[in-house]
Amino acid sequence: MKIENRRDEIIKSAAILFKERGYSAVTMRDLAKAMGIKAASLYNHIQSKQEILASIIIKLAEKFTTGMDTIVNSNKNAIEKLERIIELHIDVTLSNADGLASLNNDWMHLEEKNLQYFEKMRVDYEEKFRSIVREGVAKKEINSYNIEIMVFSMLSTLRTLYLWYPKKDEIDAEILKRDMISVLLKGIIPNKH
Amino acid sequence: MKIENRRDEIIKSAAILFKERGYSAVTMRDLAKAMGIKAASLYNHIQSKQEILASIIIKLAEKFTTGMDTIVNSNKNAIEKLERIIELHIDVTLSNADGLASLNNDWMHLEEKNLQYFEKMRVDYEEKFRSIVREGVAKKEINSYNIEIMVFSMLSTLRTLYLWYPKKDEIDAEILKRDMISVLLKGIIPNKH
DNA sequence: GTCTATAGTAGGATAGAC
DNA sequence: GTCTATCCTACTATAGAC
Protein backbone atom coordinates (compact mmCIF):
# COMPACT_ATOMS: atom_id res chain seq x y z
CA MET A 1 0.00 0.00 0.00
CA LYS A 2 2.13 2.81 -1.35
CA ILE A 3 1.29 6.38 -0.45
CA GLU A 4 0.47 8.27 -3.61
CA ASN A 5 0.72 11.91 -4.15
CA ARG A 6 -2.02 13.92 -5.77
CA ARG A 7 -0.24 14.06 -9.12
CA ASP A 8 -0.14 10.27 -9.39
CA GLU A 9 -3.85 10.07 -8.55
CA ILE A 10 -4.63 12.58 -11.29
CA ILE A 11 -2.62 10.61 -13.83
CA LYS A 12 -4.29 7.37 -12.81
CA SER A 13 -7.76 8.90 -13.11
CA ALA A 14 -6.84 10.43 -16.45
CA ALA A 15 -5.66 7.07 -17.80
CA ILE A 16 -9.06 5.54 -17.01
CA LEU A 17 -10.94 8.37 -18.73
CA PHE A 18 -8.57 8.38 -21.72
CA LYS A 19 -9.16 4.65 -22.07
CA GLU A 20 -12.94 5.11 -22.11
CA ARG A 21 -13.18 8.08 -24.47
CA GLY A 22 -9.72 8.94 -25.79
CA TYR A 23 -7.48 11.89 -24.93
CA SER A 24 -9.20 14.49 -27.14
CA ALA A 25 -12.70 13.75 -25.88
CA VAL A 26 -11.78 14.03 -22.18
CA THR A 27 -11.84 17.58 -20.81
CA MET A 28 -10.01 18.94 -17.80
CA ARG A 29 -13.46 19.53 -16.30
CA ASP A 30 -14.26 15.81 -16.75
CA LEU A 31 -11.02 14.85 -15.09
CA ALA A 32 -11.57 17.28 -12.22
CA LYS A 33 -15.07 15.90 -11.65
CA ALA A 34 -13.67 12.36 -11.49
CA MET A 35 -11.25 13.60 -8.81
CA GLY A 36 -13.98 15.44 -6.94
CA ILE A 37 -12.39 18.87 -7.40
CA LYS A 38 -12.61 21.82 -9.80
CA ALA A 39 -10.66 22.03 -13.05
CA ALA A 40 -8.53 24.96 -11.91
CA SER A 41 -7.29 22.93 -8.94
CA LEU A 42 -5.69 20.37 -11.22
CA TYR A 43 -3.13 22.94 -12.29
CA ASN A 44 -1.59 22.99 -8.82
CA HIS A 45 -0.32 19.47 -9.53
CA ILE A 46 0.24 19.33 -13.27
CA GLN A 47 1.35 21.85 -15.86
CA SER A 48 -0.99 20.91 -18.68
CA LYS A 49 -3.25 18.22 -20.13
CA GLN A 50 -0.43 17.37 -22.51
CA GLU A 51 1.92 16.65 -19.60
CA ILE A 52 -0.52 14.03 -18.29
CA LEU A 53 -0.62 12.24 -21.63
CA ALA A 54 3.16 12.26 -21.97
CA SER A 55 3.59 10.98 -18.44
CA ILE A 56 1.30 8.02 -19.14
CA ILE A 57 2.75 7.06 -22.51
CA ILE A 58 6.48 7.66 -22.11
CA LYS A 59 6.71 5.67 -18.89
CA LEU A 60 5.10 2.64 -20.53
CA ALA A 61 7.10 2.91 -23.73
CA GLU A 62 10.31 2.97 -21.70
CA LYS A 63 9.19 -0.15 -19.83
CA PHE A 64 8.79 -1.99 -23.13
CA THR A 65 12.11 -0.69 -24.43
CA THR A 66 13.98 -1.81 -21.32
CA GLY A 67 12.23 -5.18 -21.30
CA MET A 68 12.99 -5.80 -24.95
CA ASP A 69 16.66 -4.88 -24.51
CA THR A 70 17.03 -7.40 -21.70
CA ILE A 71 15.48 -10.09 -23.89
CA VAL A 72 17.57 -9.24 -26.95
CA ASN A 73 20.77 -9.41 -24.89
CA SER A 74 19.93 -12.75 -23.29
CA ASN A 75 21.50 -16.05 -24.36
CA LYS A 76 18.34 -17.67 -25.65
CA ASN A 77 17.08 -18.99 -28.94
CA ALA A 78 14.40 -17.18 -30.97
CA ILE A 79 11.47 -19.17 -29.57
CA GLU A 80 12.53 -18.55 -25.98
CA LYS A 81 12.93 -14.84 -26.73
CA LEU A 82 9.42 -14.70 -28.16
CA GLU A 83 8.12 -16.42 -25.04
CA ARG A 84 9.79 -13.75 -22.89
CA ILE A 85 8.26 -11.00 -25.07
CA ILE A 86 4.80 -12.48 -24.57
CA GLU A 87 5.38 -12.52 -20.81
CA LEU A 88 6.63 -8.94 -20.92
CA HIS A 89 3.42 -7.76 -22.57
CA ILE A 90 1.26 -9.69 -20.13
CA ASP A 91 3.16 -8.31 -17.12
CA VAL A 92 2.90 -4.71 -18.35
CA THR A 93 -0.79 -5.19 -19.15
CA LEU A 94 -1.47 -6.52 -15.66
CA SER A 95 0.34 -3.58 -14.05
CA ASN A 96 -1.20 -0.76 -16.11
CA ALA A 97 -3.97 -1.78 -18.50
CA ASP A 98 -5.51 1.70 -18.56
CA GLY A 99 -2.34 3.46 -19.64
CA LEU A 100 -1.88 1.06 -22.53
CA ALA A 101 -5.00 2.46 -24.15
CA SER A 102 -3.31 5.86 -24.44
CA LEU A 103 -0.09 4.30 -25.67
CA ASN A 104 -1.99 2.49 -28.40
CA ASN A 105 -4.53 5.10 -29.45
CA ASP A 106 -3.39 8.56 -28.36
CA TRP A 107 0.36 8.64 -28.98
CA MET A 108 -0.24 10.86 -32.01
CA HIS A 109 -1.41 13.63 -29.70
CA LEU A 110 1.98 13.87 -28.04
CA GLU A 111 3.79 17.11 -28.78
CA GLU A 112 6.94 17.41 -30.90
CA LYS A 113 9.75 16.26 -28.62
CA ASN A 114 7.88 13.45 -26.88
CA LEU A 115 6.30 12.38 -30.16
CA GLN A 116 9.71 11.93 -31.77
CA TYR A 117 11.06 10.13 -28.71
CA PHE A 118 8.07 7.80 -28.63
CA GLU A 119 8.12 7.06 -32.35
CA LYS A 120 11.78 6.15 -32.21
CA MET A 121 11.16 3.74 -29.34
CA ARG A 122 8.25 2.17 -31.20
CA VAL A 123 10.17 1.71 -34.45
CA ASP A 124 13.15 0.26 -32.57
CA TYR A 125 10.90 -2.12 -30.66
CA GLU A 126 9.30 -3.42 -33.83
CA GLU A 127 12.68 -3.79 -35.51
CA LYS A 128 14.04 -5.85 -32.61
CA PHE A 129 10.94 -8.02 -32.69
CA ARG A 130 11.38 -8.46 -36.45
CA SER A 131 15.06 -9.40 -36.03
CA ILE A 132 14.23 -12.12 -33.54
CA VAL A 133 11.67 -13.63 -35.89
CA ARG A 134 14.07 -13.35 -38.83
CA GLU A 135 16.80 -15.07 -36.83
CA GLY A 136 14.37 -17.85 -35.90
CA VAL A 137 13.46 -18.39 -39.54
CA ALA A 138 17.14 -18.50 -40.54
CA LYS A 139 17.81 -21.19 -37.92
CA LYS A 140 14.68 -23.16 -38.92
CA GLU A 141 13.14 -22.68 -35.50
CA ILE A 142 10.31 -20.77 -37.17
CA ASN A 143 8.39 -21.46 -40.38
CA SER A 144 9.29 -19.25 -43.30
CA TYR A 145 6.01 -17.43 -43.73
CA ASN A 146 6.06 -13.73 -44.56
CA ILE A 147 7.98 -12.03 -41.74
CA GLU A 148 5.68 -9.00 -41.49
CA ILE A 149 2.62 -11.20 -41.18
CA MET A 150 4.15 -13.18 -38.31
CA VAL A 151 5.46 -10.08 -36.52
CA PHE A 152 2.25 -8.07 -36.73
CA SER A 153 0.03 -11.02 -36.02
CA MET A 154 1.77 -11.54 -32.67
CA LEU A 155 2.26 -7.85 -31.93
CA SER A 156 -1.38 -6.98 -32.66
CA THR A 157 -2.58 -9.54 -30.16
CA LEU A 158 -0.09 -8.46 -27.50
CA ARG A 159 -0.81 -4.75 -27.99
CA THR A 160 -4.56 -5.17 -27.57
CA LEU A 161 -4.44 -7.48 -24.58
CA TYR A 162 -5.41 -4.47 -22.44
CA LEU A 163 -8.78 -4.34 -24.19
CA TRP A 164 -10.12 -7.68 -23.11
CA TYR A 165 -7.97 -9.17 -20.38
CA PRO A 166 -9.27 -6.97 -17.53
CA LYS A 167 -12.82 -8.06 -18.40
CA LYS A 168 -11.92 -11.75 -18.29
CA ASP A 169 -10.30 -11.72 -14.87
CA GLU A 170 -11.35 -15.26 -14.14
CA ILE A 171 -8.32 -16.21 -16.25
CA ASP A 172 -5.30 -16.76 -14.04
CA ALA A 173 -2.15 -14.88 -15.11
CA GLU A 174 -0.12 -18.09 -15.36
CA ILE A 175 -2.74 -19.81 -17.53
CA LEU A 176 -2.84 -16.68 -19.67
CA LYS A 177 0.92 -16.79 -20.19
CA ARG A 178 0.98 -20.51 -20.88
CA ASP A 179 -1.98 -20.58 -23.29
CA MET A 180 -1.00 -17.34 -25.01
CA ILE A 181 2.46 -18.74 -25.71
CA SER A 182 0.90 -21.92 -27.12
CA VAL A 183 -1.70 -20.11 -29.23
CA LEU A 184 0.68 -17.53 -30.67
CA LEU A 185 3.57 -19.89 -31.32
CA LYS A 186 2.04 -23.32 -31.96
CA GLY A 187 -1.41 -22.29 -33.21
CA ILE A 188 -4.78 -23.70 -32.29
CA ILE A 189 -4.85 -26.74 -34.58
CA PRO A 190 -3.56 -29.97 -33.02
CA ASN A 191 -0.17 -31.20 -34.11
CA LYS A 192 -0.31 -34.39 -36.23
CA HIS A 193 2.13 -37.07 -34.98
CA MET B 1 -14.21 4.65 -62.05
CA LYS B 2 -17.46 5.16 -60.21
CA ILE B 3 -18.94 8.65 -60.08
CA GLU B 4 -19.12 9.74 -56.49
CA ASN B 5 -21.35 12.36 -55.08
CA ARG B 6 -20.04 15.03 -52.77
CA ARG B 7 -21.38 13.32 -49.65
CA ASP B 8 -19.36 10.19 -50.36
CA GLU B 9 -16.23 12.24 -50.93
CA ILE B 10 -16.72 13.98 -47.59
CA ILE B 11 -17.14 10.67 -45.79
CA LYS B 12 -14.06 9.24 -47.47
CA SER B 13 -11.96 12.29 -46.52
CA ALA B 14 -13.32 12.17 -42.99
CA ALA B 15 -12.38 8.51 -42.61
CA ILE B 16 -8.77 9.33 -43.50
CA LEU B 17 -8.60 12.17 -40.98
CA PHE B 18 -10.37 10.15 -38.29
CA LYS B 19 -7.82 7.39 -38.82
CA GLU B 20 -4.92 9.81 -38.38
CA ARG B 21 -6.16 11.73 -35.35
CA GLY B 22 -9.41 10.21 -34.11
CA TYR B 23 -12.97 11.56 -34.38
CA SER B 24 -12.78 14.03 -31.49
CA ALA B 25 -9.54 15.66 -32.61
CA VAL B 26 -10.73 16.30 -36.17
CA THR B 27 -12.70 19.51 -36.62
CA MET B 28 -15.17 20.39 -39.33
CA ARG B 29 -12.67 23.07 -40.40
CA ASP B 30 -9.98 20.40 -40.83
CA LEU B 31 -12.33 18.31 -42.90
CA ALA B 32 -13.41 21.28 -45.02
CA LYS B 33 -9.79 22.24 -45.65
CA ALA B 34 -9.04 18.68 -46.81
CA MET B 35 -11.94 19.02 -49.25
CA GLY B 36 -10.82 22.48 -50.39
CA ILE B 37 -13.98 24.23 -49.20
CA LYS B 38 -15.21 26.11 -46.11
CA ALA B 39 -16.68 24.36 -43.07
CA ALA B 40 -20.15 25.84 -43.57
CA SER B 41 -20.32 24.31 -47.04
CA LEU B 42 -20.08 20.81 -45.62
CA TYR B 43 -23.54 21.20 -44.15
CA ASN B 44 -25.11 21.27 -47.59
CA HIS B 45 -24.21 17.60 -47.90
CA ILE B 46 -24.32 16.23 -44.38
CA GLN B 47 -26.43 16.99 -41.32
CA SER B 48 -23.73 16.80 -38.67
CA LYS B 49 -20.28 15.53 -37.77
CA GLN B 50 -22.00 12.72 -35.90
CA GLU B 51 -23.80 11.60 -39.06
CA ILE B 52 -20.44 11.15 -40.79
CA LEU B 53 -19.13 8.94 -38.01
CA ALA B 54 -22.27 6.82 -37.95
CA SER B 55 -22.19 6.45 -41.72
CA ILE B 56 -18.61 5.13 -41.61
CA ILE B 57 -19.05 2.74 -38.70
CA ILE B 58 -22.52 1.29 -39.23
CA LYS B 59 -21.90 0.38 -42.85
CA LEU B 60 -18.78 -1.57 -41.91
CA ALA B 61 -20.36 -3.24 -38.90
CA GLU B 62 -23.22 -4.44 -41.09
CA LYS B 63 -20.73 -5.85 -43.60
CA PHE B 64 -19.14 -7.94 -40.86
CA THR B 65 -22.52 -9.04 -39.53
CA THR B 66 -23.72 -10.15 -42.96
CA GLY B 67 -20.43 -11.90 -43.70
CA MET B 68 -20.44 -13.73 -40.38
CA ASP B 69 -24.04 -14.88 -40.85
CA THR B 70 -23.19 -16.39 -44.23
CA ILE B 71 -20.26 -18.26 -42.68
CA VAL B 72 -22.24 -19.49 -39.68
CA ASN B 73 -24.99 -20.85 -41.95
CA SER B 74 -22.58 -22.66 -44.26
CA ASN B 75 -22.01 -26.42 -44.20
CA LYS B 76 -18.40 -26.33 -43.12
CA ASN B 77 -16.36 -27.53 -40.17
CA ALA B 78 -14.95 -25.13 -37.57
CA ILE B 79 -11.53 -24.76 -39.18
CA GLU B 80 -13.03 -23.95 -42.56
CA LYS B 81 -15.33 -21.40 -40.94
CA LEU B 82 -12.37 -19.72 -39.26
CA GLU B 83 -10.57 -19.60 -42.61
CA ARG B 84 -13.60 -17.85 -44.13
CA ILE B 85 -13.65 -15.35 -41.23
CA ILE B 86 -9.98 -14.53 -41.81
CA GLU B 87 -10.74 -13.91 -45.48
CA LEU B 88 -13.72 -11.76 -44.58
CA HIS B 89 -11.55 -9.49 -42.44
CA ILE B 90 -8.87 -9.25 -45.11
CA ASP B 91 -11.45 -8.42 -47.79
CA VAL B 92 -13.12 -5.71 -45.70
CA THR B 93 -9.70 -4.28 -44.75
CA LEU B 94 -8.68 -4.11 -48.40
CA SER B 95 -11.90 -2.33 -49.36
CA ASN B 96 -12.00 0.26 -46.54
CA ALA B 97 -8.94 0.33 -44.28
CA ASP B 98 -9.53 3.95 -43.22
CA GLY B 99 -13.07 3.36 -41.99
CA LEU B 100 -11.93 0.46 -39.83
CA ALA B 101 -9.95 2.87 -37.68
CA SER B 102 -13.20 4.60 -36.68
CA LEU B 103 -14.94 1.29 -36.13
CA ASN B 104 -12.16 0.18 -33.80
CA ASN B 105 -11.39 3.39 -31.94
CA ASP B 106 -14.31 5.82 -32.22
CA TRP B 107 -17.42 3.69 -31.89
CA MET B 108 -17.91 5.03 -28.36
CA HIS B 109 -18.60 8.46 -29.81
CA LEU B 110 -21.70 7.23 -31.61
CA GLU B 111 -24.92 8.65 -30.22
CA GLU B 112 -27.55 6.66 -28.34
CA LYS B 113 -29.44 4.77 -31.05
CA ASN B 114 -26.48 3.98 -33.28
CA LEU B 115 -24.34 3.15 -30.28
CA GLN B 116 -26.81 0.53 -29.10
CA TYR B 117 -27.20 -0.88 -32.60
CA PHE B 118 -23.43 -1.10 -33.02
CA GLU B 119 -22.79 -2.65 -29.62
CA LYS B 120 -25.38 -5.34 -30.27
CA MET B 121 -23.76 -6.20 -33.61
CA ARG B 122 -20.34 -6.36 -31.98
CA VAL B 123 -21.43 -8.58 -29.11
CA ASP B 124 -23.28 -10.89 -31.51
CA TYR B 125 -20.25 -11.09 -33.78
CA GLU B 126 -17.97 -12.07 -30.92
CA GLU B 127 -20.46 -14.62 -29.66
CA LYS B 128 -20.70 -16.29 -33.09
CA PHE B 129 -16.91 -16.36 -33.32
CA ARG B 130 -16.75 -17.90 -29.85
CA SER B 131 -19.35 -20.54 -30.77
CA ILE B 132 -17.37 -21.64 -33.80
CA VAL B 133 -14.23 -22.05 -31.71
CA ARG B 134 -16.15 -23.86 -28.99
CA GLU B 135 -17.66 -26.23 -31.56
CA GLY B 136 -14.17 -26.90 -32.98
CA VAL B 137 -12.84 -27.76 -29.53
CA ALA B 138 -15.77 -30.11 -28.88
CA LYS B 139 -15.08 -31.95 -32.13
CA LYS B 140 -11.32 -32.09 -31.44
CA GLU B 141 -10.55 -29.98 -34.50
CA ILE B 142 -9.10 -27.35 -32.19
CA ASN B 143 -6.87 -27.68 -29.11
CA SER B 144 -8.61 -27.13 -25.80
CA TYR B 145 -6.83 -24.00 -24.68
CA ASN B 146 -8.82 -21.29 -22.94
CA ILE B 147 -11.57 -20.24 -25.39
CA GLU B 148 -11.32 -16.51 -24.67
CA ILE B 149 -7.58 -16.53 -25.30
CA MET B 150 -8.01 -18.21 -28.67
CA VAL B 151 -10.91 -15.99 -29.73
CA PHE B 152 -9.31 -12.70 -28.77
CA SER B 153 -5.91 -13.66 -30.04
CA MET B 154 -7.34 -14.18 -33.53
CA LEU B 155 -9.82 -11.31 -33.35
CA SER B 156 -7.20 -8.81 -32.15
CA THR B 157 -5.00 -9.57 -35.11
CA LEU B 158 -7.86 -9.39 -37.59
CA ARG B 159 -9.25 -6.16 -36.12
CA THR B 160 -5.92 -4.35 -36.35
CA LEU B 161 -4.99 -5.50 -39.84
CA TYR B 162 -5.99 -2.02 -41.07
CA LEU B 163 -3.11 -0.53 -39.07
CA TRP B 164 -0.26 -2.20 -40.86
CA TYR B 165 -1.46 -3.87 -44.04
CA PRO B 166 -1.77 -0.66 -46.13
CA LYS B 167 1.86 0.17 -45.28
CA LYS B 168 3.11 -3.25 -46.42
CA ASP B 169 1.49 -3.25 -49.82
CA GLU B 170 4.23 -5.32 -51.34
CA ILE B 171 2.37 -8.26 -49.77
CA ASP B 172 -0.04 -9.79 -52.27
CA ALA B 173 -3.59 -10.27 -51.01
CA GLU B 174 -3.53 -13.99 -51.74
CA ILE B 175 -0.23 -14.50 -49.89
CA LEU B 176 -1.68 -12.50 -47.01
CA LYS B 177 -4.73 -14.76 -46.82
CA ARG B 178 -2.69 -17.94 -47.12
CA ASP B 179 -0.01 -16.99 -44.58
CA MET B 180 -2.45 -15.36 -42.18
CA ILE B 181 -4.53 -18.54 -42.14
CA SER B 182 -1.38 -20.59 -41.45
CA VAL B 183 -0.04 -18.26 -38.77
CA LEU B 184 -3.33 -17.86 -36.91
CA LEU B 185 -4.39 -21.50 -37.10
CA LYS B 186 -1.20 -23.54 -37.23
CA GLY B 187 1.22 -21.17 -35.49
CA ILE B 188 4.72 -20.23 -36.47
CA ILE B 189 6.61 -23.20 -35.05
CA PRO B 190 7.19 -26.08 -37.47
CA ASN B 191 5.11 -29.20 -37.03
CA LYS B 192 7.13 -32.18 -35.77
CA HIS B 193 6.56 -35.33 -37.87
C1' DG C 1 -22.98 24.59 -53.96
C1' DT C 2 -20.07 27.73 -51.83
C1' DC C 3 -19.33 31.82 -49.47
C1' DT C 4 -19.06 35.42 -45.19
C1' DA C 5 -20.66 36.33 -40.83
C1' DT C 6 -21.96 34.95 -36.58
C1' DA C 7 -24.63 32.65 -32.87
C1' DG C 8 -24.02 29.86 -28.97
C1' DT C 9 -21.26 26.73 -26.44
C1' DA C 10 -17.29 24.63 -24.50
C1' DG C 11 -12.43 24.06 -24.35
C1' DG C 12 -7.42 24.84 -21.78
C1' DA C 13 -5.45 27.64 -18.74
C1' DT C 14 -4.53 31.72 -15.34
C1' DA C 15 -5.34 35.25 -11.41
C1' DG C 16 -6.13 35.97 -7.00
C1' DA C 17 -9.07 35.10 -2.66
C1' DC C 18 -9.39 31.91 1.19
C1' DG D 1 -4.74 22.88 -2.07
C1' DT D 2 -9.06 24.32 -3.54
C1' DC D 3 -12.14 27.72 -4.81
C1' DT D 4 -14.70 31.46 -8.00
C1' DA D 5 -14.29 34.23 -11.81
C1' DT D 6 -12.68 34.92 -16.14
C1' DC D 7 -9.62 35.24 -20.45
C1' DC D 8 -9.07 33.82 -24.92
C1' DT D 9 -9.53 30.62 -28.28
C1' DA D 10 -11.85 27.18 -30.98
C1' DC D 11 -15.69 24.27 -31.73
C1' DT D 12 -20.39 22.81 -34.24
C1' DA D 13 -23.85 24.59 -36.65
C1' DT D 14 -27.07 28.12 -38.85
C1' DA D 15 -28.62 32.34 -41.66
C1' DG D 16 -28.70 34.48 -45.67
C1' DA D 17 -26.11 36.53 -49.86
C1' DC D 18 -24.38 35.16 -54.37
Side-chain angles (χ1 to χ4, degrees):
Chain A
M1 209 83 105
K2 149 162 162 288
I3 294 162
E4 285 195 323
N5 63 26
R6 212 83 172 101
R7 185 172 181 279
D8 289 340
E9 289 175 35
I10 289 171
I11 290 170
K12 201 180 240 177
S13 276
I16 295 170
L17 296 179
F18 293 169
K19 180 183 179 180
E20 288 168 354
R21 278 174 280 160
Y23 174 74
S24 303
V26 174
T27 71
M28 294 303 273
R29 288 169 176 82
D30 293 333
L31 177 54
K33 190 171 255 179
M35 297 284 301
I37 57 177
K38 297 290 174 182
S41 308
L42 294 169
Y43 290 88
N44 256 293
H45 308 284
I46 50 102
Q47 301 284 333
S48 64
K49 190 186 176 190
Q50 172 66 209
E51 184 202 320
I52 299 174
L53 182 69
S55 182
I56 293 170
I57 294 179
I58 300 298
K59 196 182 299 176
L60 279 167
E62 288 175 342
K63 245 190 214 182
F64 280 115
T65 297
T66 307
M68 176 62 94
D69 287 343
T70 304
I71 294 165
V72 166
N73 294 327
S74 67
N75 278 327
K76 291 181 159 44
N77 65 32
I79 296 298
E80 286 165 340
K81 282 180 185 167
L82 291 178
E83 290 176 2
R84 293 296 85 70
I85 291 174
I86 292 168
E87 290 176 351
L88 170 64
H89 278 264
I90 291 173
D91 288 337
V92 175
T93 302
L94 291 176
S95 75
N96 189 359
D98 299 318
L100 285 171
S102 301
L103 183 136
N104 272 286
N105 301 317
D106 285 319
W107 58 266
M108 71 286 277
H109 299 118
L110 288 172
E111 276 169 4
E112 197 68 23
K113 240 180 126 70
N114 279 320
L115 180 60
Q116 282 176 23
Y117 180 44
F118 170 79
E119 288 190 310
K120 177 165 170 36
M121 282 194 279
R122 196 180 49 146
V123 167
D124 288 350
Y125 190 87
E126 289 178 4
E127 184 50 33
K128 283 166 191 161
F129 201 129
R130 194 178 283 114
S131 292
I132 292 171
V133 173
R134 215 182 272 123
E135 174 202 323
V137 171
K139 294 189 176 163
K140 312 270 192 216
E141 296 167 35
I142 294 176
N143 289 324
S144 77
Y145 300 129
N146 182 290
I147 302 276
E148 296 304 316
I149 293 176
M150 289 191 280
V151 168
F152 281 96
S153 170
M154 288 186 272
L155 210 37
S156 294
T157 297
L158 296 175
R159 280 178 171 161
T160 49
L161 256 176
Y162 78 93
L163 274 176
W164 64 274
Y165 183 65
K167 292 179 209 152
K168 314 284 182 184
D169 49 15
E170 74 274 10
I171 306 177
D172 176 80
E174 290 310 311
I175 293 176
L176 177 64
K177 285 183 185 178
R178 194 196 60 203
D179 279 14
M180 190 64 91
I181 286 171
S182 295
V183 169
L184 289 185
L185 302 184
K186 295 188 286 181
I188 64 172
I189 298 181
N191 226 313
K192 306 276 191 317
H193 294 289
Chain B
M1 207 87 101
K2 154 161 160 285
I3 294 162
E4 285 195 321
N5 62 27
R6 212 83 173 105
R7 185 172 181 277
D8 289 340
E9 290 175 35
I10 290 172
I11 290 170
K12 201 179 241 178
S13 275
I16 295 170
L17 296 179
F18 292 169
K19 179 183 179 181
E20 288 168 355
R21 279 175 279 160
Y23 175 74
S24 303
V26 174
T27 71
M28 295 303 272
R29 288 173 177 82
D30 294 332
L31 177 53
K33 189 171 256 179
M35 297 283 301
I37 56 176
K38 297 289 173 184
S41 307
L42 293 170
Y43 291 88
N44 255 291
H45 308 283
I46 49 102
Q47 300 286 333
S48 65
K49 190 186 175 188
Q50 172 66 208
E51 183 202 321
I52 299 174
L53 182 69
S55 182
I56 293 170
I57 295 179
I58 299 298
K59 196 183 297 176
L60 278 166
E62 288 174 342
K63 244 189 214 182
F64 280 114
T65 297
T66 307
M68 176 62 95
D69 285 345
T70 304
I71 293 165
V72 166
N73 294 327
S74 67
N75 278 327
K76 291 181 160 40
N77 64 32
I79 296 297
E80 287 165 340
K81 283 179 184 166
L82 290 178
E83 289 176 1
R84 293 295 86 71
I85 291 174
I86 292 168
E87 289 176 352
L88 170 63
H89 277 264
I90 291 173
D91 288 337
V92 175
T93 301
L94 290 176
S95 75
N96 189 358
D98 299 318
L100 285 171
S102 301
L103 183 134
N104 272 286
N105 301 317
D106 284 320
W107 57 267
M108 72 286 276
H109 299 119
L110 288 172
E111 277 168 4
E112 197 67 25
K113 240 181 128 70
N114 279 321
L115 180 60
Q116 283 176 22
Y117 179 45
F118 171 79
E119 288 190 310
K120 178 164 169 36
M121 282 194 278
R122 196 181 48 148
V123 168
D124 288 350
Y125 190 86
E126 289 178 4
E127 185 49 35
K128 282 167 190 160
F129 201 132
R130 194 178 284 114
S131 291
I132 292 171
V133 173
R134 214 182 272 122
E135 174 202 324
V137 171
K139 294 189 176 161
K140 313 270 193 216
E141 298 168 33
I142 295 176
N143 288 324
S144 78
Y145 300 129
N146 182 289
I147 302 278
E148 295 304 317
I149 293 175
M150 288 190 281
V151 168
F152 281 97
S153 172
M154 287 185 274
L155 210 37
S156 295
T157 297
L158 297 175
R159 280 178 170 161
T160 49
L161 256 177
Y162 78 92
L163 274 176
W164 65 275
Y165 183 64
K167 293 179 209 154
K168 313 284 181 184
D169 49 14
E170 74 273 12
I171 305 176
D172 177 80
E174 290 310 312
I175 293 176
L176 177 64
K177 285 183 184 177
R178 194 197 60 202
D179 279 14
M180 190 64 91
I181 286 171
S182 295
V183 170
L184 290 185
L185 302 184
K186 296 187 285 180
I188 64 170
I189 298 181
N191 227 310
K192 305 275 190 318
H193 293 288

